[in-house]
Amino acid sequence: NAGVTQTPKFQVLKTGQSMTLQCAQDMNHEYMSWYRQDPGMGLRLIHYSVGAGITDQGEVPNGYNVSRSTTEDFPLRLLSAAPSQTSVYFCASSYSLSVAGSGYTFGSGTRLTVV
Amino acid sequence: LAKTTQPISMDSYEGQEVNITCSHNNIATNDYITWYQQFPSQGPRFIIQGYKTKVTNEVASLFIPADRKSSTLSLPRVSLSDTAVYYCLVGEVNDMRFGAGTRLTVKP
C-alpha cells in the first residue's frame, strides 16, 4: 500500500544508546520531515528535507541527525539517547513545496522510551 | 512564522455542524492554512487546505475571510467517529508548525 512506513513501531532504549528510526515513502514525494509529539501536546518539527541530498533543521533538532540519500528514505538518528527524547516520532512526506492542496502524509509513528 | 490560536476543546452532539475557528493575525502573504485531524495513537491526517475564500471537499469546508487573519473549519453533521484533535497550521507548504490543537468530543 502506498504511504509512509515507519519502523520500528515501539522501542525502548537505555540512556546513552544510539539508534536509527526508519522512514520510507513510495509516493515519490520530494519533501519529508520528522516530528516528535509529547503527551498532550502538538507536534514539533525536528528536521526536514526538500529533496535527496538536502536537509535542514526544524524547531527541535538537538540530539538528532538526518540524511536523505534517496527520495524514498529519510532516517532519523538519535546519537546518544536521553530520557527527554521519550516521545512519539512521526515521519511525514509531501508531494511538492510549491503545490498546495494535498498536505502531508504521516506515518503511524514510533513510540520511543528512553530509560 | 504565523502563530495560531484555537480553542483547547469543544463539545458537540451527533448530527450537528461543528465550526472550529483559528486565529492567525500575523499570517504572511505566502502562507497557506491547513487543517489536520488526529486520533489517539495515530499520525495526523490531512483534512483541507486553503489560501483564501472558501474551500470544500468531501469531509469539510474551510472559510477564510478577506483579511486572512482567521479561518473556520466546518464539519457537517458530525458523528462519534469525528472525536479527535484538530490542528490548524499556517505557513508555507514546506514549513508547517503544529500548535496544541482543539480536542473535539462528539457526544451521542
Side-chain angles (χ1 to χ4, degrees), chain A residues 31 35 37 41-43 45 48 50 58-59 90 94 96-97 99-104 106-108 111, chain B residues 32 34 36 38 41-46 48-49 87 89 92-101 103:
Chain A
Y31 179 79
Y35 290 86
Q37 184 172 34
M41 298 180 64
L43 286 74
L45 182 64
Y48 65 94
V50 301
E59 300 173 77
F90 290 102
S94 180
S96 170
L97 304 181
V99 176
S102 60
Y104 298 165
F106 281 84
S108 57
R111 187 175 298 273
Chain B
Y32 282 80
T34 312
Y36 287 84
Q38 187 179 27
S41 302
Q42 295 186 25
R45 183 176 73 99
F46 172 84
I48 198 166
Q49 185 176 73
Y87 294 98
L89 280 70
E92 296 190 43
V93 175
N94 63 326
D95 197 10
M96 294 282 186
R97 305 291 176 98
F98 285 79
R103 185 173 300 276

Side-chain angles (χ1 to χ4, degrees), chain A residues 5-11 88-89 108-112:
Chain A
T5 302
Q6 291 185 236
T7 56
K9 293 190 183 301
F10 301 94
Q11 183 71 50
V88 180
Y89 291 84
S108 57
T110 295
R111 187 175 298 273
L112 175 69

Side-chain angles (χ1 to χ4, degrees), chain B residues 18-86:
Chain B
V18 171
N19 296 312
I20 306 175
T21 297
C22 179
S23 297
H24 27 81
N25 291 321
N26 59 338
I27 188 170
T29 302
N30 293 333
D31 288 347
Y32 282 80
I33 300 159
T34 312
W35 286 81
Y36 287 84
Q37 175 192 56
Q38 187 179 27
F39 298 112
S41 302
Q42 295 186 25
R45 183 176 73 99
F46 172 84
I47 301 175
I48 198 166
Q49 185 176 73
Y51 184 79
K52 61 181 178 180
T53 63
K54 177 183 174 182
V55 180
T56 298
N57 61 23
E58 62 275 10
V59 298
S61 295
L62 178 60
F63 298 92
I64 305 169
D67 66 8
R68 303 201 327 125
K69 293 185 183 299
S70 67
S71 59
T72 299
L73 174 73
S74 181
L75 304 172
R77 298 178 299 281
V78 294
S79 64
L80 297 176
S81 62
D82 292 317
T83 293
V85 177
Y86 292 82

